[in-house]
Amino acid sequence: MSNKVHLGHTARKRFGQNFLTDENVINRIVGAISPDNDHVMVEIGPGLAALTEPVATSIDKLIVVELDKDLVERLQEHPVLKDKLEIHQGDALKFDFNQLVQQDKQMKVFGNLPYNISTPLMFHLFEFAEHIKNMHFMLQKEVVLRLSAAPGTKAYGRLTVMAQYHCQVMPVLEVPPGCFTPPPKVDSAVVRLVPYKEKPWPCKDVELLRNLTTTAFNMRRKTLRNNLKQMLTDEDFEQLGIDAALRPEQIRVDQYVAMANHVFDKK
Ligand code: SAM
């Protein structure tokens, strides 16, 4: 049988389908998620239920968002799971997670994500951060390195700044390609993201911070002065105590927030 066929389903590349098959890895991820009934439990991309089944069987209800209609049908007909799942067929990138919020319950969100949409999906989920207790995601290892990067390193970029603005980021475990069917071409890793209840560096306008970091990292080899010249003057940088001759990856998250707040105050 082709290594693309798992449990009678042919993996679809366009949906980023690499199904987890390693029991040990599955158990470790479920342990990290720590499913419970005190939170709204949400899985993105349940696929063939590698994580769905152990999570759903240990709680009352699991909400899943899955794009592939064939996989949704399988879940709807699953003898054990069908009564436990609330299934939303659709694109997680466009999904309004606010509709899942219950007054007194925060969400725990998890998934072995399709790697082709993982960065935009992270940005999408940050918009709901205040309603999220924690997130556990399997991602391309390179993306986990970017999420958890320190200033001054190659992996440090706009995804790092926005992730670390919203969340505490903790790499959990590395997962080699052989743990999936079919095996992906890249190494993978699981990351835990815990949104701050109170932000260490509050920002007055998060959209502005997002735009500013996108602009700052547009040309990584250029200086802040150059990249941000439409937004900040030399005088602004002086007031902020930030060296405008530095490159974008040398600037800390709190300094990005300070720049965004400065631009906000100037308006
Ligand atoms: N959770 C399963 C596992 O661990 O074996 C499947 C993981 S597979 C890497 C990614 C899953 O996300 C697939 O089931 C795929 O159909 C689904 N998917 C792909 N794009 C999606 C999207 N935009 N929104 C929701 N689900 C998506």
PDB file of all heavy atoms in Angstrom, residues 222-257:
ATOM      1  N   LYS A 222      18.403  46.046   6.298  1.00  0.00           N
ATOM      2  CA  LYS A 222      18.455  47.505   6.460  1.00  0.00           C
ATOM      3  C   LYS A 222      18.252  47.904   7.914  1.00  0.00           C
ATOM      4  O   LYS A 222      17.795  47.118   8.734  1.00  0.00           O
ATOM      5  CB  LYS A 222      17.401  48.143   5.570  1.00  0.00           C
ATOM      6  CG  LYS A 222      17.688  47.899   4.099  1.00  0.00           C
ATOM      7  CD  LYS A 222      17.198  49.024   3.250  1.00  0.00           C
ATOM      8  CE  LYS A 222      17.762  48.869   1.851  1.00  0.00           C
ATOM      9  NZ  LYS A 222      17.095  49.742   0.911  1.00  0.00           N
ATOM     10  N   THR A 223      18.568  49.157   8.198  1.00  0.00           N
ATOM     11  CA  THR A 223      18.445  49.636   9.575  1.00  0.00           C
ATOM     12  C   THR A 223      16.985  49.973   9.893  1.00  0.00           C
ATOM     13  O   THR A 223      16.163  50.138   8.996  1.00  0.00           O
ATOM     14  CB  THR A 223      19.270  50.922   9.769  1.00  0.00           C
ATOM     15  OG1 THR A 223      18.731  51.910   8.885  1.00  0.00           O
ATOM     16  CG2 THR A 223      20.742  50.679   9.488  1.00  0.00           C
ATOM     17  N   LEU A 224      16.726  50.104  11.197  1.00  0.00           N
ATOM     18  CA  LEU A 224      15.391  50.531  11.632  1.00  0.00           C
ATOM     19  C   LEU A 224      15.046  51.881  11.019  1.00  0.00           C
ATOM     20  O   LEU A 224      13.934  52.100  10.547  1.00  0.00           O
ATOM     21  CB  LEU A 224      15.384  50.720  13.149  1.00  0.00           C
ATOM     22  CG  LEU A 224      15.066  49.568  14.064  1.00  0.00           C
ATOM     23  CD1 LEU A 224      14.820  50.134  15.455  1.00  0.00           C
ATOM     24  CD2 LEU A 224      13.851  48.785  13.604  1.00  0.00           C
ATOM     25  N   ARG A 225      16.033  52.790  11.029  1.00  0.00           N
ATOM     26  CA  ARG A 225      15.812  54.151  10.512  1.00  0.00           C
ATOM     27  C   ARG A 225      15.261  54.074   9.091  1.00  0.00           C
ATOM     28  O   ARG A 225      14.287  54.727   8.734  1.00  0.00           O
ATOM     29  CB  ARG A 225      17.133  54.920  10.516  1.00  0.00           C
ATOM     30  CG  ARG A 225      17.030  56.310   9.889  1.00  0.00           C
ATOM     31  CD  ARG A 225      18.354  57.017   9.844  1.00  0.00           C
ATOM     32  NE  ARG A 225      18.797  57.435  11.161  1.00  0.00           N
ATOM     33  CZ  ARG A 225      19.866  56.938  11.786  1.00  0.00           C
ATOM     34  NH1 ARG A 225      20.610  56.013  11.206  1.00  0.00           N
ATOM     35  NH2 ARG A 225      20.200  57.367  12.984  1.00  0.00           N
ATOM     36  N   ASN A 226      15.907  53.214   8.291  1.00  0.00           N
ATOM     37  CA  ASN A 226      15.528  53.063   6.902  1.00  0.00           C
ATOM     38  C   ASN A 226      14.142  52.442   6.735  1.00  0.00           C
ATOM     39  O   ASN A 226      13.292  52.950   6.010  1.00  0.00           O
ATOM     40  CB  ASN A 226      16.552  52.136   6.245  1.00  0.00           C
ATOM     41  CG  ASN A 226      17.054  52.741   4.967  1.00  0.00           C
ATOM     42  OD1 ASN A 226      16.257  52.972   4.073  1.00  0.00           O
ATOM     43  ND2 ASN A 226      18.346  53.019   4.925  1.00  0.00           N
ATOM     44  N   ASN A 227      13.931  51.344   7.449  1.00  0.00           N
ATOM     45  CA  ASN A 227      12.663  50.613   7.283  1.00  0.00           C
ATOM     46  C   ASN A 227      11.466  51.364   7.847  1.00  0.00           C
ATOM     47  O   ASN A 227      10.354  51.225   7.353  1.00  0.00           O
ATOM     48  CB  ASN A 227      12.759  49.232   7.954  1.00  0.00           C
ATOM     49  CG  ASN A 227      13.587  48.259   7.136  1.00  0.00           C
ATOM     50  OD1 ASN A 227      13.806  48.463   5.949  1.00  0.00           O
ATOM     51  ND2 ASN A 227      14.045  47.198   7.765  1.00  0.00           N
ATOM     52  N   LEU A 228      11.714  52.120   8.914  1.00  0.00           N
ATOM     53  CA  LEU A 228      10.574  52.763   9.595  1.00  0.00           C
ATOM     54  C   LEU A 228      10.502  54.268   9.349  1.00  0.00           C
ATOM     55  O   LEU A 228       9.841  54.988  10.099  1.00  0.00           O
ATOM     56  CB  LEU A 228      10.641  52.475  11.101  1.00  0.00           C
ATOM     57  CG  LEU A 228      10.432  51.007  11.503  1.00  0.00           C
ATOM     58  CD1 LEU A 228      10.596  50.828  13.010  1.00  0.00           C
ATOM     59  CD2 LEU A 228       9.044  50.517  11.078  1.00  0.00           C
ATOM     60  N   LYS A 229      11.163  54.730   8.273  1.00  0.00           N
ATOM     61  CA  LYS A 229      11.250  56.189   8.097  1.00  0.00           C
ATOM     62  C   LYS A 229       9.885  56.865   7.877  1.00  0.00           C
ATOM     63  O   LYS A 229       9.737  58.038   8.155  1.00  0.00           O
ATOM     64  CB  LYS A 229      12.258  56.567   7.021  1.00  0.00           C
ATOM     65  CG  LYS A 229      12.008  56.039   5.651  1.00  0.00           C
ATOM     66  CD  LYS A 229      13.058  56.619   4.690  1.00  0.00           C
ATOM     67  CE  LYS A 229      12.891  56.024   3.324  1.00  0.00           C
ATOM     68  NZ  LYS A 229      13.810  54.958   3.029  1.00  0.00           N
ATOM     69  N   GLN A 230       8.898  56.095   7.423  1.00  0.00           N
ATOM     70  CA  GLN A 230       7.548  56.691   7.255  1.00  0.00           C
ATOM     71  C   GLN A 230       6.846  56.855   8.603  1.00  0.00           C
ATOM     72  O   GLN A 230       5.837  57.551   8.696  1.00  0.00           O
ATOM     73  CB  GLN A 230       6.658  55.797   6.370  1.00  0.00           C
ATOM     74  CG  GLN A 230       7.251  55.356   5.072  1.00  0.00           C
ATOM     75  CD  GLN A 230       7.362  56.510   4.086  1.00  0.00           C
ATOM     76  OE1 GLN A 230       6.854  57.608   4.333  1.00  0.00           O
ATOM     77  NE2 GLN A 230       8.068  56.267   2.999  1.00  0.00           N
ATOM     78  N   MET A 231       7.340  56.153   9.628  1.00  0.00           N
ATOM     79  CA  MET A 231       6.617  56.142  10.903  1.00  0.00           C
ATOM     80  C   MET A 231       7.333  56.873  12.026  1.00  0.00           C
ATOM     81  O   MET A 231       6.694  57.462  12.895  1.00  0.00           O
ATOM     82  CB  MET A 231       6.384  54.698  11.360  1.00  0.00           C
ATOM     83  CG  MET A 231       5.499  53.893  10.441  1.00  0.00           C
ATOM     84  SD  MET A 231       5.447  52.168  10.973  1.00  0.00           S
ATOM     85  CE  MET A 231       3.723  51.856  10.969  1.00  0.00           C
ATOM     86  N   LEU A 232       8.672  56.800  12.028  1.00  0.00           N
ATOM     87  CA  LEU A 232       9.435  57.366  13.149  1.00  0.00           C
ATOM     88  C   LEU A 232      10.618  58.188  12.644  1.00  0.00           C
ATOM     89  O   LEU A 232      11.323  57.770  11.716  1.00  0.00           O
ATOM     90  CB  LEU A 232       9.944  56.232  14.053  1.00  0.00           C
ATOM     91  CG  LEU A 232       8.889  55.445  14.838  1.00  0.00           C
ATOM     92  CD1 LEU A 232       9.433  54.100  15.295  1.00  0.00           C
ATOM     93  CD2 LEU A 232       8.377  56.237  16.036  1.00  0.00           C
ATOM     94  N   THR A 233      10.840  59.342  13.304  1.00  0.00           N
ATOM     95  CA  THR A 233      11.968  60.209  12.934  1.00  0.00           C
ATOM     96  C   THR A 233      13.160  59.908  13.849  1.00  0.00           C
ATOM     97  O   THR A 233      13.011  59.213  14.866  1.00  0.00           O
ATOM     98  CB  THR A 233      11.593  61.690  13.135  1.00  0.00           C
ATOM     99  OG1 THR A 233      11.324  61.864  14.542  1.00  0.00           O
ATOM    100  CG2 THR A 233      10.369  62.063  12.317  1.00  0.00           C
ATOM    101  N   ASP A 234      14.305  60.482  13.510  1.00  0.00           N
ATOM    102  CA  ASP A 234      15.486  60.325  14.372  1.00  0.00           C
ATOM    103  C   ASP A 234      15.199  60.839  15.781  1.00  0.00           C
ATOM    104  O   ASP A 234      15.639  60.271  16.771  1.00  0.00           O
ATOM    105  CB  ASP A 234      16.682  61.087  13.782  1.00  0.00           C
ATOM    106  CG  ASP A 234      17.402  60.243  12.736  1.00  0.00           C
ATOM    107  OD1 ASP A 234      16.982  59.071  12.535  1.00  0.00           O
ATOM    108  OD2 ASP A 234      18.345  60.747  12.108  1.00  0.00           O
ATOM    109  N   GLU A 235      14.405  61.921  15.842  1.00  0.00           N
ATOM    110  CA  GLU A 235      14.051  62.486  17.146  1.00  0.00           C
ATOM    111  C   GLU A 235      13.203  61.489  17.960  1.00  0.00           C
ATOM    112  O   GLU A 235      13.418  61.322  19.161  1.00  0.00           O
ATOM    113  CB  GLU A 235      13.265  63.779  16.916  1.00  0.00           C
ATOM    114  CG  GLU A 235      13.313  64.698  18.107  1.00  0.00           C
ATOM    115  CD  GLU A 235      12.386  65.894  17.899  1.00  0.00           C
ATOM    116  OE1 GLU A 235      12.186  66.325  16.752  1.00  0.00           O
ATOM    117  OE2 GLU A 235      11.851  66.356  18.921  1.00  0.00           O
ATOM    118  N   ASP A 236      12.278  60.829  17.260  1.00  0.00           N
ATOM    119  CA  ASP A 236      11.457  59.812  17.945  1.00  0.00           C
ATOM    120  C   ASP A 236      12.357  58.713  18.519  1.00  0.00           C
ATOM    121  O   ASP A 236      12.196  58.300  19.674  1.00  0.00           O
ATOM    122  CB  ASP A 236      10.461  59.157  16.975  1.00  0.00           C
ATOM    123  CG  ASP A 236       9.391  60.122  16.505  1.00  0.00           C
ATOM    124  OD1 ASP A 236       8.978  60.968  17.309  1.00  0.00           O
ATOM    125  OD2 ASP A 236       8.968  60.012  15.330  1.00  0.00           O
ATOM    126  N   PHE A 237      13.287  58.218  17.685  1.00  0.00           N
ATOM    127  CA  PHE A 237      14.173  57.141  18.154  1.00  0.00           C
ATOM    128  C   PHE A 237      14.978  57.609  19.367  1.00  0.00           C
ATOM    129  O   PHE A 237      15.194  56.864  20.314  1.00  0.00           O
ATOM    130  CB  PHE A 237      15.117  56.682  17.032  1.00  0.00           C
ATOM    131  CG  PHE A 237      14.459  55.788  16.019  1.00  0.00           C
ATOM    132  CD1 PHE A 237      14.300  56.190  14.698  1.00  0.00           C
ATOM    133  CD2 PHE A 237      13.982  54.528  16.382  1.00  0.00           C
ATOM    134  CE1 PHE A 237      13.682  55.360  13.764  1.00  0.00           C
ATOM    135  CE2 PHE A 237      13.365  53.689  15.456  1.00  0.00           C
ATOM    136  CZ  PHE A 237      13.214  54.110  14.144  1.00  0.00           C
ATOM    137  N   GLU A 238      15.406  58.874  19.328  1.00  0.00           N
ATOM    138  CA  GLU A 238      16.167  59.418  20.457  1.00  0.00           C
ATOM    139  C   GLU A 238      15.318  59.436  21.728  1.00  0.00           C
ATOM    140  O   GLU A 238      15.747  58.991  22.792  1.00  0.00           O
ATOM    141  CB  GLU A 238      16.613  60.836  20.122  1.00  0.00           C
ATOM    142  CG  GLU A 238      18.115  61.035  20.313  1.00  0.00           C
ATOM    143  CD  GLU A 238      18.556  62.308  19.633  1.00  0.00           C
ATOM    144  OE1 GLU A 238      18.324  63.371  20.240  1.00  0.00           O
ATOM    145  OE2 GLU A 238      19.103  62.214  18.513  1.00  0.00           O
ATOM    146  N   GLN A 239      14.089  59.910  21.573  1.00  0.00           N
ATOM    147  CA  GLN A 239      13.172  59.950  22.735  1.00  0.00           C
ATOM    148  C   GLN A 239      12.943  58.552  23.301  1.00  0.00           C
ATOM    149  O   GLN A 239      12.816  58.354  24.503  1.00  0.00           O
ATOM    150  CB  GLN A 239      11.826  60.532  22.322  1.00  0.00           C
ATOM    151  CG  GLN A 239      11.807  62.042  22.261  1.00  0.00           C
ATOM    152  CD  GLN A 239      10.437  62.547  21.773  1.00  0.00           C
ATOM    153  OE1 GLN A 239       9.426  61.884  21.930  1.00  0.00           O
ATOM    154  NE2 GLN A 239      10.445  63.724  21.176  1.00  0.00           N
ATOM    155  N   LEU A 240      12.882  57.569  22.394  1.00  0.00           N
ATOM    156  CA  LEU A 240      12.624  56.189  22.830  1.00  0.00           C
ATOM    157  C   LEU A 240      13.878  55.506  23.378  1.00  0.00           C
ATOM    158  O   LEU A 240      13.795  54.432  23.979  1.00  0.00           O
ATOM    159  CB  LEU A 240      12.099  55.362  21.641  1.00  0.00           C
ATOM    160  CG  LEU A 240      10.664  55.629  21.208  1.00  0.00           C
ATOM    161  CD1 LEU A 240      10.421  55.143  19.780  1.00  0.00           C
ATOM    162  CD2 LEU A 240       9.693  54.941  22.161  1.00  0.00           C
ATOM    163  N   GLY A 241      15.038  56.129  23.140  1.00  0.00           N
ATOM    164  CA  GLY A 241      16.300  55.508  23.570  1.00  0.00           C
ATOM    165  C   GLY A 241      16.632  54.259  22.764  1.00  0.00           C
ATOM    166  O   GLY A 241      17.258  53.317  23.263  1.00  0.00           O
ATOM    167  N   ILE A 242      16.187  54.245  21.495  1.00  0.00           N
ATOM    168  CA  ILE A 242      16.465  53.100  20.625  1.00  0.00           C
ATOM    169  C   ILE A 242      17.421  53.537  19.509  1.00  0.00           C
ATOM    170  O   ILE A 242      17.193  54.570  18.862  1.00  0.00           O
ATOM    171  CB  ILE A 242      15.155  52.539  20.021  1.00  0.00           C
ATOM    172  CG1 ILE A 242      14.259  51.975  21.134  1.00  0.00           C
ATOM    173  CG2 ILE A 242      15.451  51.450  18.978  1.00  0.00           C
ATOM    174  CD1 ILE A 242      12.875  51.549  20.681  1.00  0.00           C
ATOM    175  N   ASP A 243      18.479  52.779  19.319  1.00  0.00           N
ATOM    176  CA  ASP A 243      19.486  53.103  18.308  1.00  0.00           C
ATOM    177  C   ASP A 243      18.925  52.789  16.910  1.00  0.00           C
ATOM    178  O   ASP A 243      18.749  51.616  16.553  1.00  0.00           O
ATOM    179  CB  ASP A 243      20.739  52.262  18.600  1.00  0.00           C
ATOM    180  CG  ASP A 243      21.868  52.559  17.628  1.00  0.00           C
ATOM    181  OD1 ASP A 243      21.642  53.330  16.665  1.00  0.00           O
ATOM    182  OD2 ASP A 243      22.977  52.017  17.836  1.00  0.00           O
ATOM    183  N   ALA A 244      18.668  53.840  16.139  1.00  0.00           N
ATOM    184  CA  ALA A 244      18.030  53.669  14.823  1.00  0.00           C
ATOM    185  C   ALA A 244      18.953  52.999  13.810  1.00  0.00           C
ATOM    186  O   ALA A 244      18.520  52.607  12.728  1.00  0.00           O
ATOM    187  CB  ALA A 244      17.573  55.026  14.297  1.00  0.00           C
ATOM    188  N   ALA A 245      20.231  52.862  14.176  1.00  0.00           N
ATOM    189  CA  ALA A 245      21.179  52.227  13.246  1.00  0.00           C
ATOM    190  C   ALA A 245      21.157  50.697  13.382  1.00  0.00           C
ATOM    191  O   ALA A 245      21.821  49.989  12.627  1.00  0.00           O
ATOM    192  CB  ALA A 245      22.588  52.760  13.505  1.00  0.00           C
ATOM    193  N   LEU A 246      20.379  50.196  14.363  1.00  0.00           N
ATOM    194  CA  LEU A 246      20.310  48.733  14.535  1.00  0.00           C
ATOM    195  C   LEU A 246      19.421  48.114  13.464  1.00  0.00           C
ATOM    196  O   LEU A 246      18.613  48.789  12.827  1.00  0.00           O
ATOM    197  CB  LEU A 246      19.748  48.396  15.925  1.00  0.00           C
ATOM    198  CG  LEU A 246      20.654  48.739  17.112  1.00  0.00           C
ATOM    199  CD1 LEU A 246      19.932  48.444  18.422  1.00  0.00           C
ATOM    200  CD2 LEU A 246      21.966  47.970  17.057  1.00  0.00           C
ATOM    201  N   ARG A 247      19.584  46.792  13.312  1.00  0.00           N
ATOM    202  CA  ARG A 247      18.728  46.071  12.361  1.00  0.00           C
ATOM    203  C   ARG A 247      17.502  45.538  13.089  1.00  0.00           C
ATOM    204  O   ARG A 247      17.522  45.360  14.310  1.00  0.00           O
ATOM    205  CB  ARG A 247      19.520  44.907  11.774  1.00  0.00           C
ATOM    206  CG  ARG A 247      20.689  45.424  10.972  1.00  0.00           C
ATOM    207  CD  ARG A 247      21.038  44.465   9.869  1.00  0.00           C
ATOM    208  NE  ARG A 247      22.088  45.028   9.060  1.00  0.00           N
ATOM    209  CZ  ARG A 247      23.130  44.352   8.632  1.00  0.00           C
ATOM    210  NH1 ARG A 247      23.246  43.062   8.956  1.00  0.00           N
ATOM    211  NH2 ARG A 247      24.042  44.915   7.881  1.00  0.00           N
ATOM    212  N   PRO A 248      16.425  45.253  12.332  1.00  0.00           N
ATOM    213  CA  PRO A 248      15.158  44.877  12.997  1.00  0.00           C
ATOM    214  C   PRO A 248      15.287  43.691  13.944  1.00  0.00           C
ATOM    215  O   PRO A 248      14.609  43.647  14.973  1.00  0.00           O
ATOM    216  CB  PRO A 248      14.219  44.549  11.826  1.00  0.00           C
ATOM    217  CG  PRO A 248      15.066  44.497  10.601  1.00  0.00           C
ATOM    218  CD  PRO A 248      16.253  45.331  10.866  1.00  0.00           C
ATOM    219  N   GLU A 249      16.160  42.724  13.632  1.00  0.00           N
ATOM    220  CA  GLU A 249      16.221  41.527  14.507  1.00  0.00           C
ATOM    221  C   GLU A 249      16.966  41.793  15.815  1.00  0.00           C
ATOM    222  O   GLU A 249      17.012  40.927  16.692  1.00  0.00           O
ATOM    223  CB  GLU A 249      16.828  40.314  13.779  1.00  0.00           C
ATOM    224  CG  GLU A 249      18.304  40.389  13.514  1.00  0.00           C
ATOM    225  CD  GLU A 249      18.610  40.888  12.111  1.00  0.00           C
ATOM    226  OE1 GLU A 249      17.763  41.606  11.536  1.00  0.00           O
ATOM    227  OE2 GLU A 249      19.695  40.582  11.610  1.00  0.00           O
ATOM    228  N   GLN A 250      17.544  43.003  15.943  1.00  0.00           N
ATOM    229  CA  GLN A 250      18.259  43.325  17.190  1.00  0.00           C
ATOM    230  C   GLN A 250      17.360  44.018  18.219  1.00  0.00           C
ATOM    231  O   GLN A 250      17.804  44.345  19.316  1.00  0.00           O
ATOM    232  CB  GLN A 250      19.464  44.223  16.859  1.00  0.00           C
ATOM    233  CG  GLN A 250      20.517  43.504  16.027  1.00  0.00           C
ATOM    234  CD  GLN A 250      21.611  44.453  15.575  1.00  0.00           C
ATOM    235  OE1 GLN A 250      21.396  45.336  14.759  1.00  0.00           O
ATOM    236  NE2 GLN A 250      22.793  44.270  16.142  1.00  0.00           N
ATOM    237  N   ILE A 251      16.109  44.221  17.858  1.00  0.00           N
ATOM    238  CA  ILE A 251      15.199  44.989  18.717  1.00  0.00           C
ATOM    239  C   ILE A 251      14.295  44.058  19.515  1.00  0.00           C
ATOM    240  O   ILE A 251      13.669  43.160  18.964  1.00  0.00           O
ATOM    241  CB  ILE A 251      14.336  45.929  17.838  1.00  0.00           C
ATOM    242  CG1 ILE A 251      15.235  46.829  16.980  1.00  0.00           C
ATOM    243  CG2 ILE A 251      13.385  46.761  18.674  1.00  0.00           C
ATOM    244  CD1 ILE A 251      16.172  47.728  17.752  1.00  0.00           C
ATOM    245  N   ARG A 252      14.205  44.300  20.832  1.00  0.00           N
ATOM    246  CA  ARG A 252      13.394  43.437  21.705  1.00  0.00           C
ATOM    247  C   ARG A 252      11.885  43.694  21.519  1.00  0.00           C
ATOM    248  O   ARG A 252      11.501  44.751  21.017  1.00  0.00           O
ATOM    249  CB  ARG A 252      13.746  43.690  23.184  1.00  0.00           C
ATOM    250  CG  ARG A 252      15.190  43.430  23.569  1.00  0.00           C
ATOM    251  CD  ARG A 252      15.342  43.611  25.085  1.00  0.00           C
ATOM    252  NE  ARG A 252      14.741  44.859  25.567  1.00  0.00           N
ATOM    253  CZ  ARG A 252      15.404  45.986  25.780  1.00  0.00           C
ATOM    254  NH1 ARG A 252      16.706  46.045  25.590  1.00  0.00           N
ATOM    255  NH2 ARG A 252      14.774  47.076  26.220  1.00  0.00           N
ATOM    256  N   VAL A 253      11.078  42.759  22.016  1.00  0.00           N
ATOM    257  CA  VAL A 253       9.618  42.888  21.899  1.00  0.00           C
ATOM    258  C   VAL A 253       9.136  44.168  22.602  1.00  0.00           C
ATOM    259  O   VAL A 253       8.345  44.935  22.053  1.00  0.00           O
ATOM    260  CB  VAL A 253       8.904  41.652  22.492  1.00  0.00           C
ATOM    261  CG1 VAL A 253       7.390  41.814  22.401  1.00  0.00           C
ATOM    262  CG2 VAL A 253       9.355  40.376  21.791  1.00  0.00           C
ATOM    263  N   ASP A 254       9.643  44.422  23.826  1.00  0.00           N
ATOM    264  CA  ASP A 254       9.183  45.613  24.561  1.00  0.00           C
ATOM    265  C   ASP A 254       9.539  46.893  23.801  1.00  0.00           C
ATOM    266  O   ASP A 254       8.805  47.886  23.861  1.00  0.00           O
ATOM    267  CB  ASP A 254       9.771  45.638  25.987  1.00  0.00           C
ATOM    268  CG  ASP A 254      11.281  45.722  25.984  1.00  0.00           C
ATOM    269  OD1 ASP A 254      11.928  44.773  25.523  1.00  0.00           O
ATOM    270  OD2 ASP A 254      11.824  46.743  26.435  1.00  0.00           O
ATOM    271  N   GLN A 255      10.648  46.860  23.043  1.00  0.00           N
ATOM    272  CA  GLN A 255      11.025  48.044  22.260  1.00  0.00           C
ATOM    273  C   GLN A 255      10.083  48.235  21.057  1.00  0.00           C
ATOM    274  O   GLN A 255       9.752  49.362  20.699  1.00  0.00           O
ATOM    275  CB  GLN A 255      12.476  47.929  21.802  1.00  0.00           C
ATOM    276  CG  GLN A 255      13.458  48.004  22.973  1.00  0.00           C
ATOM    277  CD  GLN A 255      14.897  47.775  22.526  1.00  0.00           C
ATOM    278  OE1 GLN A 255      15.203  46.786  21.855  1.00  0.00           O
ATOM    279  NE2 GLN A 255      15.779  48.675  22.908  1.00  0.00           N
ATOM    280  N   TYR A 256       9.660  47.105  20.459  1.00  0.00           N
ATOM    281  CA  TYR A 256       8.660  47.222  19.379  1.00  0.00           C
ATOM    282  C   TYR A 256       7.361  47.812  19.912  1.00  0.00           C
ATOM    283  O   TYR A 256       6.740  48.665  19.274  1.00  0.00           O
ATOM    284  CB  TYR A 256       8.414  45.859  18.704  1.00  0.00           C
ATOM    285  CG  TYR A 256       9.439  45.589  17.616  1.00  0.00           C
ATOM    286  CD1 TYR A 256      10.442  44.645  17.800  1.00  0.00           C
ATOM    287  CD2 TYR A 256       9.419  46.316  16.438  1.00  0.00           C
ATOM    288  CE1 TYR A 256      11.399  44.439  16.825  1.00  0.00           C
ATOM    289  CE2 TYR A 256      10.372  46.121  15.454  1.00  0.00           C
ATOM    290  CZ  TYR A 256      11.351  45.182  15.655  1.00  0.00           C
ATOM    291  OH  TYR A 256      12.300  45.002  14.684  1.00  0.00           O
ATOM    292  N   VAL A 257       6.960  47.361  21.097  1.00  0.00           N
ATOM    293  CA  VAL A 257       5.721  47.881  21.686  1.00  0.00           C
ATOM    294  C   VAL A 257       5.888  49.384  21.971  1.00  0.00           C
ATOM    295  O   VAL A 257       4.987  50.184  21.686  1.00  0.00           O
ATOM    296  CB  VAL A 257       5.345  47.109  22.970  1.00  0.00           C
ATOM    297  CG1 VAL A 257       4.134  47.739  23.643  1.00  0.00           C
ATOM    298  CG2 VAL A 257       5.064  45.637  22.656  1.00  0.00           C
TER     299      VAL A 257
END
